Amino acid sequence: MEFVFERIFVPNNHSFISRKLPLSSNARIHSHKNFELNYITSGTGRRIVGDNISGFETGDLVLMGPDLPHCWELLDAENNEPPTCIVTHFSENIINSDFFKMPELEKVVALLKQANRGIRFKVESAENDAEIREILGTMSETQGLEYYIGLLKIFNNLIKIEDREKLSNPMNQSSVFSKNIDKINKIYEYVFQNIQEGIKLEEASAVLNMAPSSFCRFFKKKTGLTFMEYVKNVRVGIAAKLLAETDKQITQICFESGYNNLANFNHYFKASMGKTPSDYRKNFR
């Protein structure tokens, strides 16, 4: 069964919206002005948030700020259940409202300001996970004051979760970047789809119908990174995730993160993370 995972825009007369959505096996990278909280209720796959590519599974909970490119790609359903997620959007202007200037909401505002990199919340307690799922599920079926109360309950849960992971490296959020977001998203999607098979500058340039030299100048100006710096960040991010969360051999991780030989992999990983892949893995054992 084919589903399309579509972003939801907040109507002009609403500050918040929440929906249960099917996950897609052919999802596309996109971005929007609103904050988004994404909770996976069923299914496994991989997600891209900024320059981070990671796996996801049921219970995955991620908060993202405005204009942050993202995508959840379904790879497998679980227990024959329909793959679904709950997506909650709320206005990017929420933190500027008078209500959110209350001292009691300082931690919430601080959290939202950090969401420009994408935050994954690691909910260790099954009880807390069930509570978050119940609140989000109720929000997807309510509106008005009940919805607002539900959102505050979610914020209250999120600020109590100390185990958090910032997913993406800081991204250029200037107006110049925003005006070119569709073009940048096309490049992110090209990298997303080809990271294991191999990234070629000529192919990436052709996505935007540019010469390689013009493309490199364009990408650096709009993102603050060279194209190859971005690709390196993605590869190292994939490798770090696999080293921390799987028992796969380092050689296998090398190839799955897009490197064609172990020496290059070890060199670039240590340059980025300050440790060799094997030493980095020891932190999680």
Side-chain angles (χ1 to χ4, degrees):
M1 182 180 297
E2 286 292 329
F3 292 111
V4 179
F5 181 89
E6 291 288 353
R7 58 190 183 273
I8 301 175
F9 290 102
V10 177
N12 291 333
N13 60 338
H14 290 78
S15 298
F16 321 100
I17 191 168
S18 181
R19 293 290 185 272
K20 292 181 180 179
L21 293 175
L23 282 166
S24 170
S25 58
N26 59 349
R28 301 184 67 84
I29 296 173
H30 60 274
S31 59
H32 41 71
K33 285 295 181 184
N34 308 311
F35 285 94
E36 177 178 319
L37 182 65
N38 190 299
Y39 177 82
I40 303 297
T41 51
S42 176
T44 62
R46 60 177 180 173
R47 61 170 139 71
I48 180 169
V49 176
D51 62 2
N52 175 273
I53 298 178
S54 307
F56 72 80
E57 59 187 12
T58 297
D60 192 65
L61 181 64
V62 173
L63 174 66
M64 293 169 291
D67 291 327
L68 184 59
H70 58 276
C71 170
W72 270 250
E73 181 186 38
L74 174 69
L75 297 181
D76 194 17
E78 291 185 343
N79 301 322
N80 296 319
E81 293 184 18
T84 55
C85 62
I86 300 176
V87 177
T88 301
H89 283 214
F90 44 98
S91 171
E92 69 276 15
N93 296 319
I94 188 173
I95 58 177
N96 298 320
S97 67
D98 290 339
F99 181 78
F100 274 75
K101 293 177 182 178
M102 297 172 57
E104 291 82 358
L105 295 176
E106 285 182 357
K107 291 183 178 180
V108 174
V109 172
L111 183 66
L112 293 175
K113 289 181 177 179
Q114 296 172 16
N116 64 329
R117 295 177 58 181
I119 303 172
R120 178 189 173 222
F121 297 88
K122 302 177 183 179
V123 186
E124 300 294 341
S125 165
E127 182 179 350
N128 288 348
D129 181 69
E131 181 180 359
I132 290 172
R133 180 168 182 163
E134 181 180 359
I135 295 170
L136 289 173
T138 300
M139 288 170 63
S140 68
E141 299 171 354
T142 59
Q143 55 185 341
L145 182 59
E146 287 186 38
Y147 187 99
Y148 198 101
I149 292 172
L151 187 65
L152 292 176
K153 288 180 179 179
I154 286 297
F155 286 150
N156 188 47
N157 276 273
L158 294 183
I159 62 176
K160 291 178 180 178
I161 300 174
E162 297 182 355
D163 195 354
R164 310 170 187 170
E165 175 188 3
K166 292 181 180 178
L167 296 175
S168 173
N169 284 296
M171 302 189 69
N172 187 334
Q173 296 294 328
S174 69
S175 59
V176 174
F177 175 85
S178 299
K179 291 177 182 178
N180 292 275
I181 191 66
D182 289 340
K183 290 182 179 180
I184 299 299
N185 283 349
K186 288 181 181 180
I187 301 304
Y188 290 162
E189 186 167 349
Y190 165 77
V191 174
F192 181 46
Q193 297 295 337
N194 295 278
I195 192 69
Q196 290 185 2
E197 290 73 15
I199 304 298
K200 298 179 180 179
L201 177 59
E202 293 77 10
E203 289 182 356
S205 305
V207 171
L208 298 185
N209 296 316
M210 290 182 176
S213 58
S214 299
F215 167 76
C216 288
R217 288 193 297 270
F218 169 82
F219 192 87
K220 177 65 180 293
K221 181 178 180 181
K222 306 309 178 186
T223 68
L225 296 171
T226 68
F227 178 62
M228 295 315 299
E229 284 174 339
Y230 168 72
V231 172
K232 183 182 73 173
N233 287 346
V234 172
R235 286 175 172 162
V236 170
I238 293 172
K241 191 78 171 177
L242 292 172
L243 288 166
E245 298 184 357
T246 75
D247 293 320
K248 291 181 178 181
Q249 296 293 322
I250 290 179
T251 302
Q252 182 180 355
I253 292 174
C254 164
F255 292 111
E256 287 191 16
S257 53
Y259 291 94
N260 53 20
N261 69 74
L262 193 58
N264 281 343
F265 172 59
N266 286 329
H267 171 75
Y268 286 114
F269 190 91
K270 185 175 182 180
S272 294
M273 305 300 289
K275 296 181 179 181
T276 65
S278 57
D279 286 340
Y280 180 84
R281 169 170 271 175
K282 290 176 184 177
N283 294 333
F284 302 92
R285 296 295 185 269

